Amino acid sequence: MVKVVILGQGYVASIFASGLEKIKAGKMEPYGVPLADELPIKIKEIEIVGSYDVDAGKVGKDLHEVVKAYDPEAPESLKGITVSKGIHLRSLRNLPIEATGLEDDMTLKEAVEHLINEWKELGAEVFINVCTTEAFVPFGSREELEKAITEDNRDRLTATQVYAYAIAQYAKEVGGAAFVNAIPTLIANDPAFVELAEESNMAIFGDDGATGATPLTADILSHLAQRNRYVLDIAQFNIGGNNDFLALTDKERNKSKEFTKSSVVKELLGYDAPHYIKPTGFLEPLGDKKFIAMHIEYVSFNGARDELVITGRINDSPALAGLLVDLARLGKIAIEKKAFGTVYEVNAFYMKNPGPKDRPNIPRIIAHEKMRMWAGLEPRWF
């Protein structure tokens, strides 16, 4: 079994939980799960054992009840799991949601100990972080990170950073755990957390799940680079109506997302073509089905100037939720392989900003093969 704990029971986590149970019950095909039936660990072996949130309207409720608000056809098998209180550290700032967190009643160090004790009771192995996008500052130094925890420096830390620290301490005590960081906060790209993970039996996958327009942009840029076409400029934007897009109306949170989305350009082309790649707006009627648009202008043979113009509507949360089904199982494989620290072979395919810090984005077709080989699967194209 793969015992999974969800951090942030919002749209993505709820679609993940609902879709996972439908696949396990044979009621849905695993479309959108890249390694659906290929891994030695099967989808039916994934078990959600815990869920954490800081929305006062969710904490203490049954997981089935919470998921049903996002998917009216939520499976009955989700009953019996209570959404527990997590850590917020201003993560719901400027959102129309009442926040409640462990740190409201205790120090951060006490909150970490509280979580570790709960996770031991659950027998947790893989932690999936899909909290709301945060404004953050990376640490870089493990000493600075540990000092911030010890001194209860709440202005310096984010919820994701505290969760990652707590999971490292938990992994050290139980012999291994995996942390899937599907949001932009730097964990796999922060040397402080990578060093901590290596010494604590924690595997990190991150940062920021690659879904929707970003991997498509990466594939197109790789195509142009391989044919030596010179890219003049790139414009790519997304507009959505879910809570994550609402959170991104906050300037500091938007900068976090913009960084991970823009990192592909120079790494794939070899030069930094002028570009505008960022989430640009919130429009509530769009809901979870975001609008994407892309325009790429480039020079071809004999000075010919060509353009690619792409538009689309993409269900935002299912695109990421399908990847999480793989990442949960790959997390268990990382624990079994003792691949502690961060795993570039996995990150390069599944993440917008693959850690560690000094490793670049690479064409997704190459990343896909490297990931398959790391997982012990036969390569498809090599």
Side-chain angles (χ1 to χ4, degrees):
M1 297 297 292
V2 185
K3 295 188 175 183
V4 171
V5 167
I6 296 170
L7 305 172
Q9 194 60 53
Y11 216 134
V12 173
S14 295
I15 295 301
F16 164 71
S18 186
L20 171 65
E21 294 302 308
K22 290 174 185 175
I23 293 170
K24 287 165 63 176
K27 295 180 178 179
M28 190 175 76
E29 294 295 326
Y31 300 132
V33 181
L35 300 177
D37 298 318
E38 297 189 70
L39 290 175
I41 300 172
K42 302 307 176 187
I43 295 175
K44 66 182 180 182
E45 296 179 66
I46 302 173
E47 180 186 1
I48 298 171
V49 296
S51 169
Y52 288 79
D53 205 278
V54 293
D55 179 345
K58 296 175 182 176
V59 173
K61 288 187 175 179
D62 190 87
L63 180 58
H64 177 263
E65 183 183 354
V66 173
V67 171
K68 200 167 183 178
Y70 297 93
D71 181 0
E73 298 179 356
E76 298 284 316
S77 55
L78 292 171
K79 289 183 176 179
I81 300 171
T82 301
V83 177
S84 301
K85 185 184 294 187
I87 294 170
H88 63 83
L89 289 178
R90 311 169 310 284
S91 61
L92 297 183
R93 181 190 64 193
N94 299 331
L95 296 178
I97 300 170
E98 181 188 350
T100 179
L102 293 172
E103 75 273 28
D104 296 338
D105 302 310
M106 59 185 79
T107 67
L108 291 177
K109 192 171 182 180
E110 289 169 339
V112 166
E113 293 171 357
H114 176 89
L115 290 170
I116 290 172
N117 289 332
E118 288 190 341
W119 296 338
K120 284 180 179 177
E121 290 183 14
L122 297 172
E125 297 171 299
V126 178
F127 298 80
I128 294 177
N129 180 43
V130 278
C131 294
T132 303
T133 300
E134 306 164 325
F136 72 95
V137 177
F139 277 90
S141 160
R142 180 175 167 181
E143 291 72 25
E144 185 187 353
L145 166 63
E146 291 177 336
K147 182 181 178 183
I149 295 286
T150 302
E151 296 183 354
D152 206 46
N153 190 343
R154 303 177 182 212
D155 292 330
R156 178 65 182 86
L157 291 152
T158 68
T160 295
Q161 290 168 335
V162 175
Y163 280 135
Y165 176 83
I167 294 161
Q169 304 310 307
Y170 170 76
K172 192 172 185 178
E173 291 190 28
V174 302
F179 180 56
V180 178
N181 183 41
I183 74 168
T185 303
L186 298 188
I187 300 295
N189 282 279
D190 187 335
F193 285 101
V194 175
E195 179 188 345
L196 181 64
E198 289 171 347
E199 296 179 6
S200 305
N201 304 324
M202 178 172 75
I204 303 172
F205 297 154
D207 297 308
D208 199 10
T211 64
T214 303
L216 178 59
T217 302
D219 288 344
I220 292 171
L221 294 181
S222 297
H223 169 90
L224 295 173
Q226 288 162 2
R227 287 154 181 79
N228 196 27
R229 292 165 179 162
Y230 186 78
V231 175
L232 296 170
D233 53 78
I234 307 158
Q236 181 217 300
F237 61 88
N238 309 268
I239 300 172
N242 60 25
N243 270 343
D244 201 42
F245 275 91
L246 178 58
L248 290 170
T249 58
D250 179 271
K251 184 178 179 181
E252 292 304 312
R253 297 180 203 254
N254 203 300
K255 284 168 77 175
S256 302
K257 196 75 170 178
E258 180 184 347
F259 174 80
T260 62
K261 290 173 75 70
S262 296
S263 61
V264 300
V265 176
K266 187 172 183 179
E267 291 170 351
L268 292 175
L269 294 179
Y271 53 93
D272 197 13
H275 60 273
Y276 180 96
I277 303 176
K278 61 178 71 177
T280 53
F282 171 76
L283 183 62
E284 189 173 6
L286 292 179
D288 194 58
K289 196 170 184 180
K290 65 185 177 183
F291 170 76
I292 66 164
M294 186 188 314
H295 174 263
I296 301 175
E297 185 179 18
Y298 61 92
V299 178
S300 189
F301 187 71
N302 197 37
R305 292 173 72 126
D306 297 333
E307 298 174 65
L308 294 172
V309 180
I310 299 169
T311 61
R313 291 290 304 280
I314 295 176
N315 286 284
D316 197 31
S317 298
L320 177 54
L323 303 187
L324 299 179
V325 177
D326 273 355
L327 289 163
R329 297 179 292 159
L330 291 168
K332 175 79 171 195
I333 290 172
I335 297 168
E336 292 173 345
K337 289 166 67 94
K338 299 189 184 302
F340 302 129
T342 192
V343 184
Y344 177 70
E345 292 84 355
V346 173
N347 301 341
F349 179 70
Y350 289 98
M351 301 294 169
K352 291 187 182 78
N353 187 20
K357 187 178 180 180
D358 59 347
R359 301 296 294 273
N361 274 282
I362 56 177
R364 284 301 192 273
I365 189 170
I366 297 173
H368 184 251
E369 297 306 299
K370 286 181 177 289
M371 176 270 294
R372 290 176 61 85
M373 288 187 282
W374 178 88
L377 303 176
E378 287 293 323
R380 283 184 171 175
W381 309 114
F382 291 174

